[in-house]
Structure formats: C-alpha cells, structure tokens
Amino acid sequence: MQQINVGIIGFGTVGCGTFEVLTTNREVIANRVGAEVVVKRIADLDLESDRGIQVNRDLLTVDAMDVIDDPEIDVVVELIGGVEKAKEFILMAMEKGKNVVTANKALLAEYGSEIFEASERYGTSLGFEASVGGGIPIINALRRGLAANRIQTMIGILNGTSNYILTKMTKEGLPYVKVVQDAVDLGFAEDPPTLDVDGTDAAHKLAILISIAFGSPVSFNEIYKEGITDLTPDDIRFAGQFGYSIKLLAIARNLGDRLQARIHPAMIPKDHILANVNEAYNAIYLEGDFVGPNLYYGLGAGKRPTGSAVVSDIIELARQTRVGLKGFMPPLAHVRSPDKKILIQPIEELTSAYYCRFSALDSPGVLSKISGVLGDHHISISSVIQKGREVNGSVPIVMLTHEALESNVQKALSLMKGMKILTGKTIMIRVESG
Ligand code: HSE
C-alpha cells in the first residue's frame, strides 16, 4: 500500500490528540484514504514532558525545519498556536509545495488573506477544520455540503468557555467572578480566560466562517464584539422572566449589499434551538437559500474532538496526494476576485429589540423620566418589570423595547448616564428573535 507521510509541528494537547487519532484508527484511516497515513516526524521545543502517550523517540525533533525540509513529508500540520512563528512555518511549508493543515484560528482571522493567497499561489491545499467548532465539521459543511447555497444567516455559540460560564450562572444563580474562578480552578478555563470571555475567540471563528461562506477574507477587527464580563445573575433571571435565555452569540446575516457580523451576549427565546446548547458545547445554526435551516452541534474544544477535526483534514489531503492532486480546493472554496471586499454593517445601524436594566432611585416620576428619554429617541417599550424597594432605596427597572435603531439606544443610554435618578451602570442586552 502507498504511504503518505505527515509531519506535525507542535506536540501539545491538539498535537497529541492528532497523533492518537492517527495511531488508534490507523487501519480505518488507511481504508478510507487507500494509503497508509504515517506520522514521520514531530517537532516541539519540549521533548521531555510526559504526555502520557507512547511515541517512538526517533520521530521527535526540536527543529521545525526537520519537518518542513523533509522531502518525504507530504502534509505539514501546524499546531504550535501563536501567530508569528506559525505563519512563518506555514508559508515556508507552502513554498516547498507541502499541503498544510492548521488549527490556528487567530492566525487565519488575522492573516487569512496572506495565508489563503499563498496557498493558491503555490498550488497547495490548506485544511483548517479544527480552527472553528472543535470537532464539528462546519468548515467541511460550508466548503462542500452547502456549496450550492447562498448563506443567509449564521448564528453560532462558538466559545465553549463562555457558554460553560453562562450555563453555570444560569443554573446555579452564581455571579460571574465566582463561576470563572471555579472554572479556572477545575481546569475548564484558561487562567485568565480573557480572549474567551471578551468575545475575541468567537470573533476569530466568525471571521473564518464568514470568509468561507461569503468567499472573501474578512478581518476579525471589523467584527463588532462585546463579551460576557458585565452579565449578572440578575440579568439572567430577568431574561428568564421574559421567556429568554442569555447566550454569547456570533451572528452573521446577509443583508444583500452588506453583512451583519457581531459577537455579543444576546437574549434568545427559551425554545430557540440554541438556547438549549449548554456547558462547553458549541453549535452553529445556519440558513441557506435552498437548503433552509441547518444545525451543527458538538464539542468545541478538547484533545479528542479537535484531534478528530485535524485528522479529517489530513485524510482529505492524503486522498488528494494519493491521486496526485494538489490545490484542488481553494481555501475559501471560491475562486477569489482580489477586489471583492465584504462590507460590514456598522453596529450603530443595527435594528433590534433591546433589554435594558436600570438601577434607579425608588421615587415618584422616575419611570416616566426614563421612558421619556427612550420615547424622545423613538424607542418604544414593550414590557417593564419593576421589583420592590431595595434596602438602599435603589431598585432595578427592567425594560424590553420593540425594535429600535442601535444608534438611538446608545444615544438615549448615554444621555441618561448624567441623570441623578440613576444609581448604577445600565445594562443593555440585544434580543434576537430567531
Ligand atoms: N477556547 C476555546 C473555547 C476553545 O473556549 O471555545 C478553542 O477554540
């Protein structure tokens, strides 16, 4: 049987997961590819740590160039993370005509243009299934299964750490700080999990999904993002009373000439399919013009699911290598026109319903002053909850609005900041109807 050689750069959690999938399922993979897929070299700066798996030490090297320069290696797998070094290794491997697999979402979200262009210029193939949604084959779905469709909507829960934190806050009524500390102590979250909870990780992933769905690289800096750090158990409870759950959503909507692309906590109806995606699970709901709604659900992180995604790319590239194909699938599954630019709608132009929680003095006329400012900005109220008097005389006033223009909501809330009737920060959460 023909042999296809793989070189892995980066032998951390995902590198070990990849090695384990390739060795454990060696036979089934050989049958699916029609060739043996063999790990020929593994590069990592740390060769001493016990990784809990059996590896022939002759495979190991500290020098990534031993992988990139090896003429017998067909597929180079970059799993070191970080941006600069990873980019350098990938570009060098492509220049040498290697097919490349990466799980590096930050790299693709920041330097996607350069990497995708190099892949096409050198006529090599690039797999990056593991960069979004861990084990969920969403990139394969967009590049192949949904290729007949114009994508109209994508709504994702793309960050498992935030989803885990929100699930705990919802189920146990605990404050954000306590849940994060517990998650870090239990090893469920990075210490500190800044890029997860501030929306950056989800923005990286949405940038990649949009680039494939709409056929042009989009920089993650253009994606509006807000994290979950200001959410309180009170907001989650009030949302529940209105019939909603709160999730950190990644949303892309095709507006025809422009695209909505945003990451923020959002209230979604409790019976929405994404409202029941809990713990560290990820899910992506999307709509195509012919296929209609599609839903993808699974583990968004972890050694085994991410290893599964990396190996799915290795298998695909090994199949192409076996029959002598290269550069068969353009990275974004589109023939790109260099001048095609995706225009993103500024968040100020969004029209949405809103949840606002005001901390206000409990005295006559307060409610009418708040609703007066909202009315002056064309914001119509659909429901109000005002609970009884608190010890210090300050009460939460919670409102849901009808659809309003974001810029008007921002102006109204900013104007209210100066009003003496408000005793604390106002919390605003966008409401997604579906
Ligand atoms: N840190 C990510 C998450 C997993 O919490 O979803 C890796 O993409």
Side-chain angles (χ1 to χ4, degrees), residues 324-433:
L325 280 174
K326 226 182 225 178
F328 165 74
M329 165 79 81
L332 299 181
H334 283 73
V335 176
R336 294 200 293 137
S337 47
D339 54 354
K340 183 176 173 200
K341 173 98 181 83
I342 295 177
L343 295 175
I344 309 253
Q345 182 192 49
I347 192 74
E348 291 75 17
E349 292 177 29
L350 174 71
T351 303
S352 172
Y354 294 84
Y355 160 102
C356 297
R357 176 170 59 82
F358 304 94
S359 299
L361 291 178
D362 193 9
S363 45
V366 167
L367 197 54
S368 76
K369 278 193 184 125
I370 293 173
S371 51
V373 176
L374 295 177
D376 289 347
H377 290 83
H378 316 288
I379 302 161
S380 154
I381 298 161
S382 69
S383 325
V384 181
I385 301 178
Q386 201 225 297
K387 293 290 176 190
R389 199 167 283 239
E390 284 189 357
V391 184
N392 61 4
S394 169
V395 287
I397 297 176
V398 184
M399 291 181 179
L400 278 192
T401 76
H402 290 293
E403 291 226 317
L405 187 63
E406 171 103 8
S407 60
N408 285 339
V409 174
Q410 287 185 9
K411 269 185 232 150
L413 297 186
S414 144
L415 198 76
M416 280 188 231
K417 269 187 197 154
M419 288 168 49
K420 291 211 169 57
I421 53 164
L422 294 188
T423 55
K425 190 171 170 181
T426 300
I427 300 295
M428 178 272 267
I429 302 172
R430 297 169 190 88
V431 181
E432 281 297 311
S433 46

Side-chain angles (χ1 to χ4, degrees), residues 105 158-161 196 201 205 300-301:
K105 63 209 157 189
L158 299 181
N159 185 263
T161 305
D196 291 310
D201 177 76
K205 293 166 178 169

Side-chain angles (χ1 to χ4, degrees), residues 74-76 97-101 123-125 317 320-321 325-327:
D74 306 290
V75 181
V76 171
K98 310 279 190 201
N99 288 326
V100 172
V101 175
T124 67
S125 295
L317 299 189
Q320 293 178 23
T321 306
L325 280 174
K326 226 182 225 178

